[in-house]
Amino acid sequence: MSLRPSYEELAALVAVQARVIDELRAENAELRARVAELERRLGMDSSNSSKPPSSDPLEKKAGRSQRERSKERRPGGQKGRVGRALEMVAEPDRIERIDPVECAGCHNSLADAVDAGFRAVQVFDIPLVEQQVTELHLARRRCACGTVTAAPAPAGVHGPTCYGPNLRAFATLLAADGQISTERTAKLIEGLLNIPVSTGFVDRCLTRLDEPLADFEAHLKQALRRAEVIGTDETPISLSGAPGYAYTVHAENLTWYGAADNRGHAALDGFGILPGHHGVLIRDDYVGYHKYDTHLAGVQLCCAHILRDLQGVIDNAPDAERAAWAQAAQRVLREAGRAVEQARADGDTSCRPASRNASQPSSARPYAAASPSTRTHRAPRRARPASSRSGYATRATKSSASPGTSPQG
């Protein structure tokens, strides 16, 4: 009796094996794709993606910045720069004489030695800051009519005890202009001045600063809404110990800062700037901004973000040929940026035709033209919506930010 399988049995076995091979191939391809995606994510940092620098690992690769080092400018002070150095003053505030105790040759005492002149050295320093408590006696006088009148307390003085205007100004300067948290401001004041203050004191100083700026912030937001070009960005921060986001909107010579506990439309609408803007918006590709595109004259994706995204393509390309288009696009963007900087330095309001042609080499033009993220696109116009009031604490300042670039994110 023969034990050999029949043709039909062998054909069925081959069909089963072929099906298993196909399934294994599909599973292998899926696993390879997942491994490639995980490797791509592991290779992402602030230099080749939109991830913030705070998320970079400790062993972050060096030299990954997308900023090009100038070939003309050397590190340090530039030619023609006016240097600043300490120079001796003609009349010092205090003179202190230091006499040698013993002879450098025979080591005898120099107490009765003849004076042979001196070498002057001037030390520039600040005196030790010490707390000074001033007790104000608010006198009372009785008039001939019988009325007793008390002297009013100076502005800012209240209660039996309070901090003075100089300390309040110092706390406000540290927290507001220095952008230091209330907790660190209180610690710095105690460490520098040996005056323990509470975080509530620092908060009240900031409140006094913010109150007169209410009208200024309203005018600032109105100016930003009317600007032809504005840029916006956001970055994660710690907000009162909880996760939050810091926002910025800027135009030429104007910058507004705000903070919120979320990254959604509740914050973006609540700030009351983007809903009323109808010009060109420079932004990254965060989906929260997309809903404003319909009433904008145009949208320009931030070049810094595009450069980082292109670097991500280069870093994860399987070979040099597939990375070539991203490298060409980076070159085009950088050359265009240099052309804009040169036009500004020359006092021009637009790039000259020769500069525009030079900034786009023929080998890179197909890549630049094929990428929708490298050009400004126009959006349809619609009726201007009513702006909403902000429900978040904000701080507004003036700066020299350029509308042609978006803040780093």
Side-chain angles (χ1 to χ4, degrees):
M1 183 177 178
S2 176
L3 298 178
R4 291 183 178 180
S6 65
Y7 175 82
E8 290 76 10
E9 291 174 334
L10 290 174
L13 179 61
V14 170
V16 171
Q17 290 176 337
R19 185 172 65 253
V20 171
I21 290 173
D22 290 341
E23 292 175 351
L24 290 175
R25 283 177 175 172
E27 183 179 1
N28 183 49
E30 180 182 355
L31 291 175
R32 284 178 176 271
R34 292 179 62 183
V35 170
E37 174 63 17
L38 291 174
E39 289 178 344
R40 185 189 70 84
R41 293 183 183 180
L42 286 175
M44 290 297 182
D45 54 31
S46 62
S47 69
N48 56 13
S49 72
S50 294
K51 297 177 66 175
S54 59
S55 65
D56 288 342
L58 296 177
E59 63 276 8
K60 177 185 175 183
K61 310 175 189 68
R64 297 292 299 278
S65 173
Q66 294 303 320
R67 295 183 178 180
E68 284 189 312
R69 183 179 294 275
S70 174
K71 297 179 180 179
E72 292 79 17
R73 298 183 61 181
R74 296 181 178 180
Q78 302 303 307
K79 185 177 181 180
R81 171 181 172 269
V82 179
R84 299 182 63 182
L86 286 177
E87 296 182 358
M88 299 187 73
V89 298
E91 298 182 2
D93 299 302
R94 188 166 65 95
I95 296 178
E96 179 179 340
R97 183 181 176 89
I98 302 177
D99 289 306
V101 177
E102 64 178 25
C103 176
C106 64
H107 301 290
N108 288 330
S109 174
L110 296 176
D112 299 324
V114 178
D115 190 356
F118 62 88
R119 180 174 66 92
V121 177
Q122 292 188 350
V123 179
F124 292 71
D125 203 349
I126 58 175
L128 181 64
V129 180
E130 296 180 347
Q131 177 179 258
Q132 183 180 40
V133 179
T134 301
E135 182 175 294
L136 303 178
H137 290 180
L138 305 179
R140 294 188 293 268
R141 295 294 180 93
R142 186 186 301 276
C143 181
C145 70
T147 302
V148 177
T149 302
V157 175
H158 53 83
T161 59
C162 66
Y163 292 114
N166 292 337
L167 184 59
R168 291 198 300 268
F170 183 68
T172 304
L173 183 67
L174 281 180
D177 193 56
Q179 299 182 8
I180 302 175
S181 68
T182 55
E183 292 82 3
R184 292 187 63 187
T185 299
K187 289 181 179 179
L188 278 173
I189 292 175
E190 183 174 6
L192 293 173
L193 309 180
N194 196 26
I195 303 176
V197 298
S198 66
T199 55
F201 163 72
V202 180
D203 283 331
R204 289 191 294 274
C205 290
L206 294 176
T207 300
R208 294 189 189 97
L209 175 66
D210 290 340
E211 287 174 350
L213 294 176
D215 292 338
F216 168 75
E217 184 182 4
H219 292 309
L220 174 63
K221 289 184 176 181
Q222 184 180 28
L224 289 170
R225 288 192 294 267
R226 294 178 176 178
E228 293 183 3
V229 180
I230 63 173
T232 185
D233 201 5
E234 81 292 329
T235 189
I237 59 170
S238 176
L239 194 61
S240 299
Y245 292 89
Y247 293 81
T248 179
V249 181
H250 70 272
E252 187 173 7
N253 298 325
L254 292 173
T255 301
W256 172 90
Y257 293 101
D261 59 0
N262 67 89
R263 199 187 180 196
H265 293 148
L268 295 174
D269 290 344
F271 292 141
I273 301 177
L274 297 185
H277 176 65
H278 300 285
V280 175
L281 178 64
I282 302 174
R283 59 166 176 79
D284 59 24
D285 204 29
Y286 169 52
V287 68
Y289 296 126
H290 290 183
K291 82 166 190 173
Y292 304 107
D293 293 358
T294 55
H295 64 257
L296 292 172
V299 172
Q300 169 64 57
L301 292 185
C302 170
C303 290
H305 285 79
I306 297 175
L307 286 172
R308 289 199 293 267
D309 291 340
L310 290 171
Q311 188 63 45
V313 174
I314 296 170
D315 292 344
N316 292 280
D319 51 59
E321 183 178 356
R322 300 191 188 185
W325 74 268
Q327 292 170 335
Q330 278 189 334
R331 185 167 59 251
V332 169
L333 285 175
R334 291 191 172 112
E335 291 176 354
R338 287 193 290 268
V340 171
E341 291 178 358
Q342 184 61 49
R344 287 178 176 171
D346 296 340
D348 297 332
T349 57
S350 62
C351 291
R352 299 172 183 173
S355 298
R356 287 198 294 266
N357 294 335
S359 68
Q360 193 178 46
S362 58
S363 61
R365 286 172 192 165
Y367 303 111
S371 177
S373 62
T374 61
R375 62 179 182 267
T376 301
H377 65 269
R378 292 195 170 274
R381 301 290 294 248
R382 71 176 184 181
R384 177 169 176 160
S387 59
S388 58
R389 297 182 61 187
S390 171
Y392 302 88
T394 59
R395 190 171 301 156
T397 63
K398 294 192 68 175
S399 80
S400 57
S402 168
T405 57
S406 181
Q408 295 181 359

